[in-house]
Amino acid sequence: MKKFLSLVLALVMTMSLVTVSAGAKDFSDDGSITYKEAVDVISGIGVVDGYSGGDFKPTEVLTRGAAAKIICNLILGPTTASYLSADTAPFKDVPVTNVFAGYITYCSQQGIINGYADGTFRPTATLSGNAFMKMLLGALGYDSAIEGYTGANWTVAVIKQAAGIGLDDGNDEFVGSKAVTREEAALYAFNMLQATMVEYDAKTSVDINGATVTIAGDKAKEVAQGSYDNNMHKPNLQFAERYFDKLDKTETTDDFARPATKWTFKGDKIGTYADAADVTYTSNVKLGDIYSDLDMSEKDKNAEVYYNGVEADDVAVSKGNTVKVSSSSANNKLVADGSTVEVFYDEDNNDVTICIIDTYVGTISSKEEKVSDPYVVVNSESLVTKKDASTSVSISGSKARFETNTDNFEEDDVVLFTYSQSADEIKSVVKAESVEGTLDKYTLGKNLTLADTEYKYSKNIAFSFGSETSMTTKSDYVIYLDTNGMVIYVDEQEFDASQYAYVLYTQSSNSRFGKDQVQLVMSDGSVKTVDTDDDYTSLEGTIVYYRADDKGEYALRQAANVHKNGNPTITTTADASIATNGVLSGGANTFEMKNTRAAITTKTGTTVYGNSETVFVVAESDARGKTDYSVYKGIKNAPTIMSDDPTTSPTVETKAVEMVYTTSGSSDVVTFAFIDATGAYVTNGKRDVVFLAAESATKMITDGDNNQYYLYNAVVDDEITTVKVKAAQDAGSVVVAGNDTVNQVVTNADYNNKGLLTSADAISTSDYTTLTGTGVWKLSGSYSIGLGGTTASASVRYTVASDAKMYYIDTDGVITKIDDVKNISSDSTATYIGLLDVTDGDIAYLFIQEVDNGKQEGAGSSGVVLSGISASYSSGTVTVTLTGTNAGQVYPVTISLVNGGTLVKLTTANVTGAATTTTATISAALSVGSTYMVTCGDQSFVLGV
C-alpha cells in the first residue's frame, strides 16, 4: 500500500489540475435527498458528484463499477483518482476502455474488491449493501482473510463489523442484501470518514496443502493519531484525518439553537447540520410528558427554551408536571398546532434544551439566476412575530432572499419557510403540498373540511383572500399543507384569467336587459350579454368569477380582493357619455402605469405591482363612441398609461383613469385589472407575438362557409399551435397570406368570428429590435448565443433572457420548443429571427429555421469537441496534434505550467483546423524539468520537458 501511495503522490504533484470546490452543492432534487448532511459532505469533498442536469438522483442504485470509483476517490482524492488507468484488462468483462477500468484495477490490486469465480467483475451489476460495506472496511484497513470476510458466511462477519463501528448509522432500515442506492452509499462513505482506521502487528501468508492461509499475530487494532490533526475530535486516527486532512468537523449550535455539527473543507463552509432531536412534538406539550418521553430520573428545573433561535423563558421539566412548554406563565402563545418542538437531552449533565421552530407560508415573488449565488425572493403570507408573540417581523429586502437552486421554484409558487430570529434570515424554503376540492364546512379558527376530509389549522395559517370569514361553502379552494399535514394556506382555485370578467351593466342600469341578465367584458376583450341564474345587480362595476352551465346560464361570484382606485367610487358612465368619458367614471387623475417597471400608481399614495402573470383588459373609445378592449398578459407587455401626458411641456392633465383590479391574497400584486384609459396618455403595449412557419403553409383552403384561408404551424406568444390566415387580409395588415418561403413574425393580430387571422402589425421598434440572418452559434456562458457570421468567433454575441421563448423550425415547418439555450446547437446555415427587447437588451424571442443542406450541426462550434490531443517540445516550439478536427474551425490551444497541483496559464494560440487531424506549432519557452499541460476543448495532454 505504501509503495502505491508514493506513486499516487507523484501523480498529485504533476497532474492535480482540478481544485475541488468546497461548499454544499444545491442539487435540483435536494428535496428528495434523505441523508442531506452525508450527501453534502461527500459531494463537497468531491467523492460523489451529481449529474450534468444538476440532479443527484439519490434513489438510483449504485453499480459495482461506480462503487470502485467512490473507494478510489476516498483513498486517493478525486483529482488523483481521475487519472487512474488500466494497462491490461483487470477482468475479462472490464476492457481497458471501460470508464471504470482504472478504478477497478486499483481496488483489485489493493485487495479491496474481488471478482467472481468465472473471471468476471460485472461492473454494471448492482451492488448490495453487504458488498459495499466490505469495500469500505477494506479501505479502513480490515483484512478480509483475517476478519472472515470470505467463504459462505462472509456477510455475517461484514455486517457485524460494519454495524459495530457505525458504518450504517443513520439508516435504521439497513438491509444488507438489498442493492445500495446513491444516497445510501454517500451515507456509508460519510460514516466511514469518521470511522477509526486499523492495522495489524504482523501478517504472514503460508501455504498449507496448496491453500494460502493468512496468519495474524494480533487482531486489528486502531491506528494511533500520530502527527495527523485531530479534525474529527475522536481518539486515534479516523479515515478523514488521513486522507482528507482539510476536512474539519466542529460541534456547535445552529441558528435555531439546536446542537449541531459544522463541516468545513479547505477552510470553506460546507454546512451546519442540526443533531437529531431526542423527541419531537408538533403541538404544545406538557413538561411532564417530556420528562417521561426522555426517560429522565432527575428533573431539570431550568431547561432552556428557544423560539426561532432566540432564548425564551426557562421551564421546569419534571415528573408529572402538567404545565405546558407554552403557557400563560411562560412562553405564552409561542406553541400551537403546527409548531415544531424539538427536545435535546444531554444525559451526562441532565440538561434539557427545547427548541421551538415555527413554519410559515409564503409565495415566490421572484428569482434571480444570473448571479454567482442564485436566490429566490419570498413574500411572506404569514404573520411572523418575535418571541413576545405580538411584535411583527418584516420579511422584506435582503431578509426575503434565500440562496438555493432556483430550478426548484417558479414565480408564485406557494412555499413553506422557516425563519431564524437570531440570524434574522430565512433558513429553509420548500414547496408546499396542495389539495384541491370543494369546501364542505369550516369551524372558525380550528379546521375546515375539503372534499370530505377534515384538516386542522396550522398555527401560522393565512388566507389569500384576507379573511377566513370570506370563505363560502360549496366553492372550490386549494389548501396548502405544512409538513405535519395541517392546512397553512387557503387559496381560491388557481387563478384562471379566462374565468374572470368585469360586470359592465346589470338589469337595474340598462332597460334593454330582461330579468337576470348582465353585460360582461370578458378576459379576452369580448363583450357578452348573458343570462344569469340570479339577480346580480349588486355586482355591477366589479370583477367576478363566473361559470356557465350546459344551457349557457351564468352563475357569478365576486372575485376575492377586488379594489377600485375611485375616490370615493367608480361608476358606469351613461351611454351618451361613453365617447368622451369612456365606459367608467370616478377614477384617479394621478394614475401612472409604465411597462418598464412593476409598480403601478393607482392614485396618490397607493401603489400596487404587476408581474408576468397579470392580465390587463384596457378600454379605449373612439370619437364615434365605439369602445375597444385590448388584452395584455404581463406588465412588460401592457401599455404605458398615464393621466398626465409626458410628451407635453409642462405635462397636461388629460383625464382620470379608472382601474378595478384583484390582488393575490393580502399582497399588493395585481392578478386581473380592468382599466378605462379613454382620453389618457396610452402607448402601445406588447401584444402577443405571432410566428408563422412558411414551410408549413398549405394551399388555399375553402371551407363549407366559403371562408378562404391558409393553415400555418404557428407560435402565438408562447404556445405552439396552428393559425388560419385569411386569404384576403384587411387593409393595413403586414401578413402575406399564403407565403410559403419566408417565415413571418407579427404582433397585434386580429381574428374574425370564424377564427381567421384577418390582420396584424409589424413588430414595434419601440418594443423590439428585429434580428435576422444566417448562422447560429453555441457560445460559452449560460445565457449567451452567437448570431450571424460563418464561425462562432465571427458572430455577434447576445444575452438571452432567462424566460426567452425559443423554437426550432424544421424543413417541413414543424415547430419544437427549445427549453434552454444550452440545447441550441451551432449551425452555420440555419437562419434566424430574433426579437431583442429594447428595454432589457436581451433576446426575448428566437426562431431558428433549420436548412436541409447535408451539413452536420455543431460544425464550427465554439464548444470544441475533439477525440484526442498530443504534444512535444523542442527548442522553444511546442508541436501540437489535434485529432477529430473540422476543416476551417478555430481551436484554442492553451499551454499551462503545472505548479504545485495548480495550473499557471502561459499562452493560448488559435489553431485553424484541417479535416480529421491537425498539426500546428506554437512558440513557447518551456523550462527543462518542469511539467506542462496542453489543453484544447475537453482534451488535455501532460507534457514533461
Side-chain angles (χ1 to χ4, degrees):
M1 171 74 83
K2 289 182 178 179
K3 180 178 179 182
F4 187 85
L5 290 178
S6 66
L7 294 174
V8 168
L9 183 59
L11 275 173
V12 171
M13 296 299 292
T14 60
M15 302 177 71
S16 293
L17 307 176
V18 179
T19 300
V20 177
S21 60
K25 299 179 181 178
D26 288 321
F27 297 109
S28 60
D29 52 358
D30 260 348
S32 61
I33 297 175
T34 302
Y35 309 120
K36 177 65 174 162
E37 180 179 4
V39 171
D40 281 355
V41 173
I42 290 298
S43 64
I45 63 177
V47 170
V48 178
D49 213 339
Y51 289 84
S52 58
D55 51 352
F56 184 77
K57 300 181 181 178
T59 59
E60 190 170 278
V61 295
L62 191 71
T63 65
R64 286 170 55 81
K69 179 179 179 180
I70 290 175
I71 297 298
C72 291
N73 284 343
L74 283 166
I75 295 176
L76 307 177
T79 300
T80 300
S82 68
Y83 289 99
L84 291 173
S85 61
D87 295 329
T88 58
F91 296 93
K92 66 182 184 181
D93 60 344
V94 184
V96 295
T97 55
N98 186 288
V99 68
F100 296 118
Y103 306 115
I104 294 170
T105 297
Y106 170 67
C107 288
S108 177
Q109 290 173 345
Q110 302 309 308
I112 298 172
I113 61 173
N114 300 306
Y116 291 89
D118 62 359
T120 63
F121 181 75
R122 304 171 194 173
T124 60
T126 58
L127 189 77
S128 69
N130 294 329
F132 190 59
M133 290 296 192
K134 179 181 177 182
M135 296 169 73
L136 295 177
L137 289 169
L140 283 169
Y142 291 94
D143 188 284
S144 293
I146 296 172
E147 302 297 337
Y149 302 161
T150 59
N153 296 317
W154 68 271
T155 59
V156 176
V158 165
I159 295 310
K160 180 180 179 181
Q161 186 66 67
I165 63 174
L167 292 188
D168 63 344
D169 283 357
N171 183 7
D172 296 333
E173 300 178 358
F174 175 77
V175 178
S177 59
K178 288 187 176 180
V180 68
T181 65
R182 282 172 51 81
E183 69 169 347
E184 288 172 344
L187 174 66
Y188 307 149
F190 171 70
N191 292 333
M192 177 216 186
L193 290 173
Q194 304 166 77
T196 303
M197 300 194 68
V198 299
E199 60 185 359
Y200 299 86
D201 278 343
K203 288 194 297 183
T204 305
S205 295
V206 297
D207 187 283
I208 300 177
N209 297 325
T212 300
V213 178
T214 300
I215 301 173
D218 293 303
K219 286 291 185 180
K221 67 176 184 178
E222 295 186 347
V223 177
Q225 188 72 47
S227 61
Y228 294 99
D229 292 335
N230 187 18
N231 294 336
M232 298 295 107
H233 309 288
K234 293 170 63 177
N236 295 318
L237 182 67
Q238 281 69 57
F239 186 90
E241 294 168 345
R242 178 168 184 175
Y243 292 108
F244 291 89
D245 59 345
K246 301 300 182 184
L247 179 65
D248 191 66
K249 172 185 178 183
T250 306
E251 299 305 317
T252 182
T253 56
D254 71 358
D255 288 334
F256 291 110
R258 298 175 295 187
T261 301
K262 177 183 177 182
W263 290 94
T264 59
F265 183 51
K266 297 182 179 179
D268 293 325
K269 181 179 176 180
I270 294 177
T272 300
Y273 305 88
D275 295 350
D278 292 293
V279 289
T280 301
Y281 308 93
T282 58
S283 60
N284 212 355
V285 58
K286 294 178 182 177
L287 297 169
D289 289 344
I290 295 177
Y291 182 94
S292 299
D293 293 341
L294 292 176
D295 198 23
M296 297 173 67
S297 57
E298 181 182 353
K299 71 177 180 181
D300 182 356
K301 64 180 180 180
N302 295 115
E304 294 181 340
V305 177
Y306 293 87
Y307 177 69
N308 287 339
V310 174
E311 189 167 7
D313 303 324
D314 290 355
V315 294
V317 178
S318 57
K319 185 176 182 179
N321 191 346
T322 59
V323 176
K324 294 186 176 182
V325 172
S326 175
S327 66
S328 59
S329 59
N331 308 310
N332 192 26
K333 299 181 180 179
L334 293 189
V335 184
D337 288 342
S339 299
T340 298
V341 181
E342 296 187 356
V343 183
F344 301 86
Y345 183 40
D346 180 352
E347 192 170 356
D348 293 337
N349 298 302
N350 196 49
D351 283 339
V352 176
T353 301
I354 301 172
C355 298
I356 305 166
I357 302 172
D358 265 351
T359 298
Y360 304 97
V361 66
T363 54
I364 301 298
S365 60
S366 65
K367 61 180 187 177
E368 181 55 65
E369 301 168 316
K370 298 182 182 179
V371 292
S372 56
D373 296 312
Y375 61 85
V376 294
V377 178
V378 178
N379 176 56
S380 177
E381 299 288 348
S382 297
L383 175 65
V384 181
T385 65
K386 294 185 178 180
K387 66 177 183 179
D388 61 10
S390 60
T391 304
S392 63
V393 177
S394 175
I395 308 296
S396 60
S398 60
K399 289 185 189 179
R401 296 179 179 179
F402 180 72
E403 293 181 6
T404 186
N405 185 332
T406 57
D407 291 340
N408 296 332
F409 301 96
E410 298 296 336
E411 287 188 11
D412 302 323
D413 277 351
V414 176
V415 294
L416 306 175
F417 70 94
T418 57
Y419 163 78
S420 166
Q421 188 178 328
S422 62
D424 198 19
E425 64 182 16
I426 292 175
K427 301 306 298 182
S428 67
V429 178
V430 297
K431 291 180 68 171
E433 299 276 345
S434 64
V435 178
E436 299 182 10
T438 301
L439 180 66
D440 301 315
K441 64 179 180 178
Y442 65 96
T443 303
L444 283 173
K446 292 186 177 181
N447 57 55
L448 60 77
T449 300
L450 192 79
D452 299 323
T453 302
E454 183 177 284
Y455 298 89
K456 278 187 176 181
Y457 286 175
S458 189
K459 175 187 176 185
N460 297 304
I461 189 171
F463 300 86
S464 70
F465 33 84
S467 171
E468 176 187 9
T469 56
S470 298
M471 290 194 298
T472 56
T473 57
K474 299 183 180 180
S475 294
D476 294 334
Y477 291 91
V478 183
I479 63 172
Y480 294 85
L481 308 179
D482 67 11
T483 53
N484 304 307
M486 300 179 189
V487 57
I488 194 169
Y489 191 59
V490 183
D491 194 5
E492 292 183 300
Q493 277 280 17
E494 183 177 355
F495 176 76
D496 180 358
S498 66
Q499 298 299 306
Y500 279 68
Y502 180 79
V503 182
L504 195 56
Y505 295 110
T506 64
Q507 60 196 51
S508 65
S509 62
N510 196 314
S511 59
R512 294 174 297 174
F513 294 167
K515 185 180 179 181
D516 299 341
Q517 282 189 318
V518 298
Q519 188 174 62
L520 303 175
V521 180
M522 314 302 285
S523 60
D524 63 359
S526 63
V527 179
K528 289 184 178 180
T529 299
V530 300
D531 295 326
T532 58
D533 65 346
D534 203 347
D535 180 354
Y536 290 112
T537 300
S538 62
L539 296 182
E540 183 172 290
T542 192
I543 295 172
V544 296
Y545 181 82
Y546 68 85
R547 287 183 179 175
D549 62 21
D550 54 4
K551 296 179 181 179
E553 189 172 75
Y554 281 62
L556 309 183
R557 180 164 58 87
Q558 179 168 320
N561 308 305
V562 176
H563 308 272
K564 302 180 181 183
N565 72 336
N567 191 12
T569 186
I570 289 175
T571 59
T572 301
T573 302
D575 291 354
S577 304
I578 288 178
T580 54
N581 295 335
V583 293
L584 302 180
S585 63
N589 56 19
T590 54
F591 185 91
E592 182 176 282
M593 181 174 86
K594 295 182 178 180
N595 59 19
T596 57
R597 67 186 188 192
I600 305 170
T601 301
T602 63
K603 60 182 177 180
T604 301
T606 302
T607 301
V608 294
Y609 298 87
N611 61 21
S612 61
E613 297 298 316
T614 305
V615 174
F616 299 90
V617 179
V618 180
E620 294 182 81
S621 298
D622 61 25
R624 295 169 296 173
K626 181 179 181 295
T627 302
D628 291 321
Y629 300 94
S630 301
V631 180
Y632 307 88
K633 183 178 180 181
I635 186 67
K636 284 186 178 181
N637 300 319
T640 291
I641 303 173
M642 301 172 67
S643 293
D644 294 330
D645 187 345
T647 63
T648 61
S649 182
T651 55
V652 178
E653 183 179 303
T654 54
K655 181 190 176 293
V657 174
E658 290 77 33
M659 177 172 169
V660 183
Y661 58 99
T662 61
T663 57
S664 175
S666 57
S667 73
D668 50 11
V669 177
V670 178
T671 55
F672 183 89
F674 180 80
I675 304 174
D676 185 353
T678 305
Y681 172 79
V682 182
T683 62
N684 288 331
K686 297 175 186 175
R687 297 285 299 278
D688 284 353
V689 169
V690 177
F691 170 84
L692 303 175
E695 297 286 354
S696 68
T698 64
K699 298 295 183 181
M700 189 172 70
I701 299 170
T702 302
D703 64 18
D705 295 324
N706 287 320
N707 295 304
Q708 294 184 320
Y709 61 87
Y710 298 88
L711 186 64
Y712 284 85
N713 290 341
V715 177
V716 178
D717 200 27
D718 195 24
E719 181 182 358
I720 298 174
T721 183
T722 56
V723 170
K724 297 176 181 179
V725 176
K726 185 180 178 183
Q729 289 284 290
D730 292 350
S733 176
V734 299
V735 174
V736 180
N739 179 0
D740 61 359
T741 58
V742 179
N743 293 328
Q744 302 178 71
V745 179
V746 296
T747 190
N748 294 344
D750 288 327
Y751 302 83
N752 63 18
N753 59 1
K754 302 297 183 181
L756 307 184
L757 188 153
T758 58
S759 70
D761 297 334
I763 298 296
S764 172
T765 57
S766 63
D767 296 331
Y768 301 107
T769 299
T770 302
L771 310 172
T772 60
T774 302
V776 178
W777 306 97
K778 184 174 184 177
L779 304 180
S780 60
S782 300
Y783 296 94
S784 296
I785 194 75
L787 297 179
T790 56
T791 64
S793 59
S795 67
V796 179
R797 178 187 286 265
Y798 292 95
T799 300
V800 178
S802 59
D803 58 351
K805 302 168 178 64
M806 302 175 290
Y807 304 89
Y808 270 126
I809 303 92
D810 70 12
T811 54
D812 294 320
V814 177
I815 304 171
T816 305
K817 187 172 184 178
I818 303 171
D819 292 321
D820 194 303
V821 70
K822 293 182 292 186
N823 297 332
I824 295 177
S825 300
S826 292
D827 190 337
S828 61
T829 60
T831 61
Y832 61 85
I833 301 176
L835 299 184
L836 187 72
D837 192 308
V838 297
T839 301
D840 299 334
D842 297 341
I843 289 180
Y845 291 85
L846 182 60
F847 304 94
I848 301 173
Q849 175 67 60
E850 296 176 341
V851 177
D852 187 7
N853 56 9
K855 291 189 177 181
Q856 179 182 2
E857 286 185 10
S861 170
S862 64
V864 174
V865 179
L866 296 170
S867 58
I869 184 173
S870 61
S872 61
Y873 177 77
S874 177
S875 305
T877 300
V878 176
T879 302
V880 180
T881 301
L882 308 177
T883 307
T885 53
N886 298 315
Q889 182 173 346
V890 176
Y891 295 87
V893 178
T894 298
I895 302 173
S896 304
L897 171 68
V898 179
N899 183 19
T902 62
L903 290 178
V904 180
K905 180 179 174 181
L906 301 180
T907 185
T908 296
N910 288 327
V911 175
T912 301
T916 309
T917 303
T918 302
T919 300
T921 57
I922 301 172
S923 296
L926 307 185
S927 301
V928 176
S930 296
T931 301
Y932 298 84
M933 180 62 72
V934 182
T935 59
C936 183
D938 58 352
Q939 298 291 319
S940 59
F941 181 83
V942 178
L943 177 61
V945 177

